[in-house]
Amino acid sequence: MTNNKRKNWVIGNWKLNPYFQPAEQLFEAVAQAYHSQAALHQCEIAVAVPSIYLAHFAKTKQLSIAAQDVSVVSGLGAYTGEVSAELLSQAGVELVLVGHSERRELFADDVEKLQQKIKNTLQAGLSLVYCVGESLAQREAGQAEQIVLQQVQDLIAVMAEDAWSQVLIAYEPIWAIGTGKTASPQDAQQMHASIRHYLQQHSFEAAAVPLLYGGSVKPENALELAACADINGALVGGASLDATSFISIVQAFAQ
Ligand code: PGA
């Protein structure tokens, strides 16, 4: 199903990069390029920056800012080291990534924690960028779709029906992240269509969420991905650390 009126989204995921001064330069360059080309505004953009930069960049009000993680606890309290969704919201953050494979694999974000993070994000009024994706072993075993749809089901299980407008889903096959290997546009489209179909069976509102592709998206492959019916944007890691590359990906999705 395609909804032609839906705006595409391109979100840069800076991960733990870069140091403060080059981060300032990168942010300025992206903001300047985006705001000086009206044609790019057909595409919504955001940058997911390291947590220590969030309030600083949000205060400039130049670009939408995404957090890369959120606490499982909400509000305030005796939780050393935590940052709650409410604090993110007060700092001017608009979106939160939840379920990125690096968090699932390296930081033990299991389904229970992810579901708590989803609930906290949505209850604080923030938008959720929920990431799903299979490993290479799972793909080779023919389990890719089953794994991804189970991850989508983990989201559905905690969704309030009226909160779907706050949700974006990013399909990021783990074997394509940071490896230079991209899923072929056909493979990506096929998985996106399966996710869309699964959401459609749940509700009309669920089926309308933007579906972003992530995994080695570059200026060279962005146009082909953007042409796929069920790909409504990109979650960009490595290529978002270069303003020119990032903006040319935005351009591809603004057409
Ligand atoms: P990549 O990362 O573009 O460097 O593959 C994507 C991501 O992890 O979000």
Side-chain angles (χ1 to χ4, degrees), residues 4-223:
N4 291 325
K5 285 193 231 87
R6 187 191 295 117
K7 265 197 183 178
N8 285 334
W9 271 93
V10 173
I11 301 175
N13 178 10
W14 291 6
K15 307 188 182 183
L16 182 50
N17 296 293
Y19 285 120
F20 198 84
Q21 201 188 346
E24 291 261 32
Q25 289 165 354
L26 175 59
F27 185 85
E28 278 306 318
V30 170
Q32 207 275 336
Y34 184 70
H35 292 297
S36 63
Q37 299 175 60
L40 299 182
H41 304 168
Q42 292 305 318
C43 180
E44 304 272 1
I45 75 167
V47 282
V49 303
S51 61
I52 196 156
Y53 302 156
L54 288 167
H56 173 71
F57 286 133
K59 218 177 263 175
T60 69
K61 298 200 184 303
Q62 294 193 71
L63 297 173
S64 293
I65 302 297
Q68 298 173 10
D69 190 26
V70 63
S71 179
V72 292
V73 294
S74 61
L76 302 171
Y79 302 107
T80 304
E82 292 300 289
V83 179
S84 67
E86 287 74 13
L87 274 196
L88 292 176
S89 170
Q90 290 207 350
V93 169
E94 293 175 45
L95 308 98
V96 181
L97 308 190
V98 174
H100 192 284
S101 59
E102 286 154 15
R103 301 250 18 123
R104 291 181 193 256
E105 289 192 336
L106 306 174
F107 299 98
D109 272 9
D110 57 19
V111 173
E112 199 183 333
K113 282 189 196 162
L114 294 176
Q115 290 181 324
Q116 195 56 53
K117 291 179 178 193
I118 291 168
K119 287 193 235 173
N120 292 354
T121 298
L122 297 173
Q123 273 163 17
L126 297 164
S127 291
L128 170 75
V129 184
Y130 178 65
C131 306
V132 299
E134 82 286 359
S135 67
L136 185 57
Q138 290 164 337
R139 174 157 284 260
E140 285 175 347
Q143 296 167 344
E145 187 182 66
Q146 177 198 333
I147 295 289
V148 167
L149 295 184
Q150 178 56 53
Q151 292 168 340
V152 174
Q153 182 54 41
D154 297 337
L155 166 68
I156 290 175
V158 291
M159 279 300 298
E161 244 348 88
D162 60 358
W164 281 105
S165 61
Q166 289 166 253
V167 176
L168 299 88
I169 295 179
Y171 168 57
E172 300 202 300
I174 298 170
W175 48 271
I177 294 178
T179 58
K181 281 189 214 154
T182 333
S184 69
Q186 294 75 14
D187 283 348
Q189 164 56 28
Q190 192 178 357
M191 186 63 83
H192 280 227
S194 299
I195 295 171
R196 184 87 69 205
H197 181 69
Y198 193 80
L199 292 167
Q200 235 161 4
Q201 288 174 319
H202 178 71
S203 71
F204 179 77
E205 288 74 18
V209 305
L211 298 181
L212 279 54
Y213 170 79
S216 298
V217 177
K218 304 180 274 273
E220 296 77 27
N221 56 28
L223 266 178

